[in-house]
Short mmCIF file of all heavy atoms in Angstrom, two decimals:
data_model
loop_
_atom_site.label_atom_id
_atom_site.label_comp_id
_atom_site.label_asym_id
_atom_site.label_seq_id
_atom_site.Cartn_x
_atom_site.Cartn_y
_atom_site.Cartn_z
N PHE O 23 -103.42 -9.85 -46.46
CA PHE O 23 -104.68 -9.70 -46.99
C PHE O 23 -105.86 -10.13 -46.05
O PHE O 23 -106.81 -9.47 -45.88
CB PHE O 23 -104.83 -10.39 -48.33
CG PHE O 23 -106.15 -10.46 -48.94
CD1 PHE O 23 -106.95 -9.33 -49.01
CD2 PHE O 23 -106.77 -11.61 -49.45
CE1 PHE O 23 -108.17 -9.39 -49.52
CE2 PHE O 23 -107.98 -11.69 -49.94
CZ PHE O 23 -108.72 -10.53 -50.02
N GLU O 24 -105.60 -11.28 -45.34
CA GLU O 24 -106.59 -11.83 -44.48
C GLU O 24 -106.96 -10.85 -43.37
O GLU O 24 -108.08 -10.57 -43.16
CB GLU O 24 -106.17 -13.12 -43.94
CG GLU O 24 -107.18 -13.73 -42.96
CD GLU O 24 -106.75 -15.08 -42.47
OE1 GLU O 24 -105.57 -15.32 -42.17
OE2 GLU O 24 -107.65 -16.00 -42.33
N THR O 25 -105.89 -10.28 -42.70
CA THR O 25 -106.18 -9.42 -41.56
C THR O 25 -106.73 -8.03 -41.97
O THR O 25 -107.69 -7.50 -41.23
CB THR O 25 -104.87 -9.10 -40.76
OG1 THR O 25 -103.92 -8.57 -41.62
CG2 THR O 25 -104.34 -10.47 -40.13
N VAL O 26 -106.34 -7.55 -43.12
CA VAL O 26 -106.86 -6.28 -43.61
C VAL O 26 -108.31 -6.53 -44.05
O VAL O 26 -109.24 -5.74 -43.77
CB VAL O 26 -106.00 -5.74 -44.75
CG1 VAL O 26 -106.65 -4.57 -45.45
CG2 VAL O 26 -104.60 -5.26 -44.24
N HIS O 27 -108.59 -7.57 -44.83
CA HIS O 27 -109.84 -7.99 -45.19
C HIS O 27 -110.90 -7.97 -44.04
O HIS O 27 -111.96 -7.42 -44.08
CB HIS O 27 -109.86 -9.32 -45.96
CG HIS O 27 -111.18 -9.93 -46.18
ND1 HIS O 27 -112.05 -10.54 -45.21
CD2 HIS O 27 -111.96 -10.06 -47.36
CE1 HIS O 27 -113.07 -10.97 -45.73
NE2 HIS O 27 -113.03 -10.64 -47.06
N ASP O 28 -110.53 -8.74 -42.96
CA ASP O 28 -111.34 -8.84 -41.87
C ASP O 28 -111.53 -7.59 -41.12
O ASP O 28 -112.70 -7.23 -40.68
CB ASP O 28 -110.77 -9.94 -40.84
CG ASP O 28 -110.85 -11.27 -41.47
OD1 ASP O 28 -111.38 -11.50 -42.48
OD2 ASP O 28 -110.18 -12.22 -40.83
N ALA O 29 -110.54 -6.77 -41.03
CA ALA O 29 -110.64 -5.42 -40.35
C ALA O 29 -111.60 -4.51 -41.06
O ALA O 29 -112.48 -3.85 -40.57
CB ALA O 29 -109.27 -4.79 -40.07
N LEU O 30 -111.35 -4.49 -42.38
CA LEU O 30 -112.09 -3.55 -43.28
C LEU O 30 -113.71 -4.01 -43.43
O LEU O 30 -114.52 -3.19 -43.55
CB LEU O 30 -111.57 -3.36 -44.67
CG LEU O 30 -110.17 -2.64 -44.72
CD1 LEU O 30 -109.83 -2.37 -46.17
CD2 LEU O 30 -110.21 -1.31 -43.88
N SER O 31 -113.78 -5.29 -43.38
CA SER O 31 -115.24 -5.77 -43.36
C SER O 31 -116.02 -5.33 -42.22
O SER O 31 -117.25 -4.85 -42.39
CB SER O 31 -115.36 -7.29 -43.57
OG SER O 31 -114.86 -7.90 -42.34
N GLU O 32 -115.41 -5.22 -41.02
CA GLU O 32 -116.06 -4.70 -39.84
C GLU O 32 -116.22 -3.27 -39.87
O GLU O 32 -117.19 -2.61 -39.55
CB GLU O 32 -115.32 -5.19 -38.59
CG GLU O 32 -115.32 -6.75 -38.41
CD GLU O 32 -116.82 -7.25 -38.11
OE1 GLU O 32 -117.69 -6.48 -37.67
OE2 GLU O 32 -116.98 -8.47 -38.31
N LEU O 33 -115.14 -2.61 -40.30
CA LEU O 33 -115.12 -1.02 -40.45
C LEU O 33 -116.24 -0.67 -41.53
O LEU O 33 -116.89 0.35 -41.35
CB LEU O 33 -113.74 -0.67 -40.93
CG LEU O 33 -113.59 0.87 -40.92
CD1 LEU O 33 -113.73 1.56 -39.52
CD2 LEU O 33 -112.05 1.14 -41.39
N GLY O 34 -116.28 -1.45 -42.49
CA GLY O 34 -117.27 -1.07 -43.64
C GLY O 34 -118.65 -1.22 -43.08
O GLY O 34 -119.52 -0.37 -43.34
N ALA O 35 -118.99 -2.21 -42.29
CA ALA O 35 -120.28 -2.32 -41.70
C ALA O 35 -120.55 -1.06 -40.81
O ALA O 35 -121.67 -0.46 -40.93
CB ALA O 35 -120.35 -3.57 -40.82
N LYS O 36 -119.72 -0.66 -39.92
CA LYS O 36 -119.85 0.48 -39.06
C LYS O 36 -119.98 1.75 -39.87
O LYS O 36 -120.96 2.52 -39.56
CB LYS O 36 -118.64 0.53 -38.14
CG LYS O 36 -118.70 1.77 -37.14
CD LYS O 36 -117.55 1.84 -36.33
CE LYS O 36 -117.53 2.96 -35.32
NZ LYS O 36 -117.33 4.20 -35.98
N THR O 37 -119.25 1.93 -40.91
CA THR O 37 -119.31 3.16 -41.70
C THR O 37 -120.64 3.14 -42.55
O THR O 37 -121.26 4.21 -42.75
CB THR O 37 -118.15 3.17 -42.65
OG1 THR O 37 -116.91 3.01 -41.90
CG2 THR O 37 -118.15 4.53 -43.42
N LEU O 38 -121.19 2.04 -43.01
CA LEU O 38 -122.39 1.87 -43.74
C LEU O 38 -123.56 2.43 -42.82
O LEU O 38 -124.50 3.09 -43.31
CB LEU O 38 -122.59 0.59 -44.34
CG LEU O 38 -123.78 0.29 -45.27
CD1 LEU O 38 -125.02 -0.01 -44.57
CD2 LEU O 38 -123.99 1.43 -46.31
N ILE O 39 -123.59 1.91 -41.62
CA ILE O 39 -124.64 2.26 -40.69
C ILE O 39 -124.72 3.78 -40.48
O ILE O 39 -125.82 4.38 -40.50
CB ILE O 39 -124.59 1.48 -39.39
CG1 ILE O 39 -124.69 -0.05 -39.63
CG2 ILE O 39 -125.60 1.89 -38.37
CD1 ILE O 39 -126.02 -0.39 -40.38
N GLU O 40 -123.60 4.39 -40.29
CA GLU O 40 -123.45 5.79 -40.13
C GLU O 40 -123.86 6.54 -41.42
O GLU O 40 -124.68 7.50 -41.33
CB GLU O 40 -121.97 6.24 -39.80
CG GLU O 40 -121.46 5.81 -38.49
CD GLU O 40 -119.95 5.97 -38.36
OE1 GLU O 40 -119.42 6.68 -39.23
OE2 GLU O 40 -119.46 5.61 -37.31
N THR O 41 -123.66 5.96 -42.56
CA THR O 41 -123.94 6.55 -43.80
C THR O 41 -125.52 6.52 -43.99
O THR O 41 -126.18 7.60 -44.39
CB THR O 41 -123.35 5.81 -44.94
OG1 THR O 41 -121.91 5.94 -44.88
CG2 THR O 41 -123.81 6.37 -46.31
N VAL O 42 -126.17 5.43 -43.63
CA VAL O 42 -127.63 5.26 -43.77
C VAL O 42 -128.22 6.23 -42.88
O VAL O 42 -129.23 6.84 -43.17
CB VAL O 42 -128.00 3.85 -43.52
CG1 VAL O 42 -129.45 3.75 -43.34
CG2 VAL O 42 -127.58 2.85 -44.57
N GLU O 43 -127.78 6.43 -41.67
CA GLU O 43 -128.42 7.32 -40.64
C GLU O 43 -128.30 8.77 -41.25
O GLU O 43 -129.34 9.49 -41.20
CB GLU O 43 -127.64 7.24 -39.36
CG GLU O 43 -127.95 6.06 -38.56
CD GLU O 43 -129.54 6.01 -38.21
OE1 GLU O 43 -130.03 6.95 -37.83
OE2 GLU O 43 -130.24 4.93 -38.48
N GLN O 44 -127.10 9.10 -41.79
CA GLN O 44 -127.05 10.53 -42.44
C GLN O 44 -128.03 10.71 -43.54
O GLN O 44 -128.67 11.78 -43.67
CB GLN O 44 -125.60 10.80 -42.90
CG GLN O 44 -124.62 10.88 -41.71
CD GLN O 44 -123.33 11.42 -42.22
OE1 GLN O 44 -123.04 11.78 -43.23
NE2 GLN O 44 -122.27 11.53 -41.15
N ILE O 45 -128.20 9.70 -44.33
CA ILE O 45 -129.09 9.83 -45.57
C ILE O 45 -130.47 9.97 -44.98
O ILE O 45 -131.25 10.85 -45.54
CB ILE O 45 -128.97 8.64 -46.42
CG1 ILE O 45 -127.54 8.68 -47.16
CG2 ILE O 45 -130.00 8.59 -47.47
CD1 ILE O 45 -127.35 7.37 -47.94
N LYS O 46 -130.90 9.25 -43.99
CA LYS O 46 -132.32 9.27 -43.42
C LYS O 46 -132.54 10.66 -42.78
O LYS O 46 -133.66 11.16 -43.02
CB LYS O 46 -132.40 8.18 -42.42
CG LYS O 46 -132.52 6.76 -42.94
CD LYS O 46 -132.55 5.75 -41.91
CE LYS O 46 -133.58 5.87 -40.91
NZ LYS O 46 -133.43 4.74 -39.87
N ASN O 47 -131.56 11.21 -42.13
CA ASN O 47 -131.83 12.49 -41.47
C ASN O 47 -131.42 13.66 -42.25
O ASN O 47 -131.59 14.71 -41.81
CB ASN O 47 -131.17 12.58 -40.02
CG ASN O 47 -129.69 12.39 -40.11
OD1 ASN O 47 -129.02 12.89 -40.98
ND2 ASN O 47 -129.05 11.84 -39.07
N GLY O 48 -130.99 13.50 -43.52
CA GLY O 48 -130.77 14.54 -44.36
C GLY O 48 -129.48 15.35 -44.16
O GLY O 48 -129.38 16.42 -44.78
N THR O 49 -128.53 14.72 -43.45
CA THR O 49 -127.20 15.34 -43.28
C THR O 49 -126.07 14.82 -44.13
O THR O 49 -124.93 15.30 -44.01
CB THR O 49 -126.83 15.25 -41.77
OG1 THR O 49 -126.75 13.93 -41.42
CG2 THR O 49 -127.83 15.94 -40.90
N ALA O 50 -126.34 13.87 -45.00
CA ALA O 50 -125.38 13.33 -45.84
C ALA O 50 -124.79 14.32 -46.88
O ALA O 50 -125.66 15.03 -47.42
CB ALA O 50 -125.94 12.06 -46.58
N VAL O 51 -123.59 14.27 -47.01
CA VAL O 51 -122.84 15.26 -47.90
C VAL O 51 -122.26 14.52 -49.00
O VAL O 51 -121.35 13.58 -48.83
CB VAL O 51 -121.80 16.16 -47.23
CG1 VAL O 51 -121.10 17.11 -48.18
CG2 VAL O 51 -122.39 16.87 -46.05
N ARG O 52 -122.66 14.82 -50.30
CA ARG O 52 -121.92 14.10 -51.48
C ARG O 52 -120.71 14.83 -51.83
O ARG O 52 -120.70 16.05 -51.87
CB ARG O 52 -122.91 14.20 -52.70
CG ARG O 52 -124.28 13.55 -52.40
CD ARG O 52 -125.24 13.64 -53.56
NE ARG O 52 -124.72 12.82 -54.75
CZ ARG O 52 -125.52 11.90 -55.34
NH1 ARG O 52 -126.80 11.74 -54.93
NH2 ARG O 52 -124.98 11.12 -56.31
N ILE O 53 -119.65 14.03 -51.98
CA ILE O 53 -118.38 14.57 -52.25
C ILE O 53 -117.81 14.00 -53.66
O ILE O 53 -117.70 12.73 -53.73
CB ILE O 53 -117.26 14.28 -51.20
CG1 ILE O 53 -117.74 14.78 -49.90
CG2 ILE O 53 -115.94 14.97 -51.59
CD1 ILE O 53 -116.89 14.24 -48.63
N LYS O 54 -117.64 14.90 -54.64
CA LYS O 54 -117.24 14.38 -56.02
C LYS O 54 -115.76 13.87 -55.86
O LYS O 54 -114.92 14.34 -55.23
CB LYS O 54 -117.38 15.42 -57.08
CG LYS O 54 -118.68 15.67 -57.44
CD LYS O 54 -118.87 16.44 -58.67
CE LYS O 54 -120.29 16.65 -59.19
NZ LYS O 54 -120.93 15.31 -59.45
N GLN O 55 -115.50 12.66 -56.54
CA GLN O 55 -114.13 12.24 -56.67
C GLN O 55 -113.24 13.06 -57.67
O GLN O 55 -113.83 13.50 -58.64
CB GLN O 55 -114.11 10.74 -57.09
CG GLN O 55 -114.88 9.84 -56.13
CD GLN O 55 -114.60 8.42 -56.46
OE1 GLN O 55 -113.42 7.96 -56.80
NE2 GLN O 55 -115.66 7.62 -56.40
N ASP O 56 -112.01 13.20 -57.34
CA ASP O 56 -111.11 13.85 -58.30
C ASP O 56 -110.48 12.79 -59.12
O ASP O 56 -109.61 11.96 -58.68
CB ASP O 56 -110.01 14.57 -57.41
CG ASP O 56 -108.99 15.35 -58.26
OD1 ASP O 56 -109.00 15.12 -59.46
OD2 ASP O 56 -108.15 16.11 -57.68
N ASP O 57 -110.91 12.63 -60.27
CA ASP O 57 -110.50 11.62 -61.24
C ASP O 57 -108.96 11.68 -61.42
O ASP O 57 -108.42 10.66 -61.76
CB ASP O 57 -111.15 11.77 -62.57
CG ASP O 57 -112.72 11.35 -62.42
OD1 ASP O 57 -113.05 10.72 -61.42
OD2 ASP O 57 -113.46 11.69 -63.37
N ALA O 58 -108.35 12.81 -61.34
CA ALA O 58 -106.94 12.96 -61.53
C ALA O 58 -106.12 12.24 -60.54
O ALA O 58 -104.95 11.82 -60.64
CB ALA O 58 -106.54 14.40 -61.57
N LEU O 59 -106.71 11.96 -59.37
CA LEU O 59 -106.03 11.14 -58.23
C LEU O 59 -106.42 9.70 -58.33
O LEU O 59 -105.84 8.93 -57.36
CB LEU O 59 -106.52 11.84 -56.82
CG LEU O 59 -106.15 13.30 -56.69
CD1 LEU O 59 -106.67 13.75 -55.28
CD2 LEU O 59 -104.65 13.57 -56.78
N ALA O 60 -107.19 9.28 -59.27
CA ALA O 60 -107.64 7.91 -59.19
C ALA O 60 -106.50 6.96 -59.61
O ALA O 60 -105.64 7.22 -60.50
CB ALA O 60 -108.85 7.74 -60.24
N THR O 61 -106.58 5.71 -58.97
CA THR O 61 -105.72 4.67 -59.35
C THR O 61 -106.61 3.38 -59.40
O THR O 61 -107.68 3.34 -58.85
CB THR O 61 -104.62 4.34 -58.28
OG1 THR O 61 -105.22 4.19 -56.96
CG2 THR O 61 -103.73 5.49 -58.18
N HIS O 62 -106.07 2.44 -60.15
CA HIS O 62 -106.96 1.24 -60.50
C HIS O 62 -106.43 0.05 -59.85
O HIS O 62 -105.20 -0.25 -59.87
CB HIS O 62 -106.96 1.05 -62.03
CG HIS O 62 -107.80 -0.12 -62.47
ND1 HIS O 62 -109.16 -0.23 -62.12
CD2 HIS O 62 -107.46 -1.18 -63.15
CE1 HIS O 62 -109.66 -1.36 -62.52
NE2 HIS O 62 -108.69 -2.01 -63.22
N ALA O 63 -107.28 -0.73 -59.14
CA ALA O 63 -106.93 -1.99 -58.39
C ALA O 63 -107.44 -3.06 -59.28
O ALA O 63 -108.53 -3.68 -58.99
CB ALA O 63 -107.45 -2.01 -57.02
N ALA O 64 -106.55 -3.58 -60.22
CA ALA O 64 -107.06 -4.62 -61.14
C ALA O 64 -107.19 -5.90 -60.38
O ALA O 64 -106.55 -6.13 -59.45
CB ALA O 64 -106.00 -4.77 -62.34
N LYS O 65 -107.98 -6.85 -61.00
CA LYS O 65 -108.22 -8.11 -60.47
C LYS O 65 -106.81 -8.86 -60.35
O LYS O 65 -106.08 -8.68 -61.23
CB LYS O 65 -109.25 -8.92 -61.39
CG LYS O 65 -109.38 -10.34 -60.97
CD LYS O 65 -110.35 -11.05 -61.95
CE LYS O 65 -110.47 -12.49 -61.65
NZ LYS O 65 -111.35 -13.17 -62.63
N ILE O 66 -106.62 -9.77 -59.37
CA ILE O 66 -105.44 -10.46 -59.29
C ILE O 66 -105.40 -11.60 -60.17
O ILE O 66 -106.26 -12.43 -60.25
CB ILE O 66 -105.20 -10.98 -57.85
CG1 ILE O 66 -105.17 -9.80 -56.78
CG2 ILE O 66 -103.90 -11.86 -57.70
CD1 ILE O 66 -104.11 -8.84 -56.86
N GLU O 67 -104.38 -11.64 -61.13
CA GLU O 67 -104.26 -12.63 -62.02
C GLU O 67 -103.05 -13.64 -61.60
O GLU O 67 -102.19 -13.23 -60.86
CB GLU O 67 -103.98 -12.04 -63.44
CG GLU O 67 -105.00 -11.14 -63.94
CD GLU O 67 -106.36 -11.83 -64.32
OE1 GLU O 67 -106.37 -13.05 -64.22
OE2 GLU O 67 -107.34 -11.16 -64.59
N LYS O 68 -102.96 -14.71 -62.25
CA LYS O 68 -101.96 -15.67 -61.84
C LYS O 68 -100.55 -15.06 -62.08
O LYS O 68 -99.65 -15.32 -61.18
CB LYS O 68 -102.12 -16.95 -62.75
CG LYS O 68 -101.10 -18.13 -62.34
CD LYS O 68 -101.30 -19.42 -63.10
CE LYS O 68 -100.25 -20.41 -62.60
NZ LYS O 68 -100.37 -21.72 -63.35
#
């Protein structure tokens, strides 16, 4: 969890900046989620 958390936190930052740029210049594309493929990541309990 620690290594994946740290890697995704940095990857998330990079992806967010790309996202903001696309929104600003009008090239962002909205993609609807397919609810049939959804899975749930419940909070970790004891």
Side-chain angles (χ1 to χ4, degrees):
F23 173 45
E24 181 176 37
T25 58
V26 171
H27 169 283
D28 292 353
L30 290 191
S31 67
E32 296 295 340
L33 185 60
K36 179 176 180 292
T37 308
L38 186 277
I39 296 304
E40 294 174 5
T41 301
V42 171
E43 284 301 312
Q44 288 191 5
I45 292 172
K46 285 169 61 178
N47 62 31
T49 60
V51 177
R52 302 178 72 127
I53 304 169
K54 288 195 174 297
Q55 295 190 45
D56 184 348
D57 291 340
L59 301 177
T61 56
H62 182 55
K65 178 183 176 183
I66 301 294
E67 304 289 354
K68 184 176 180 180

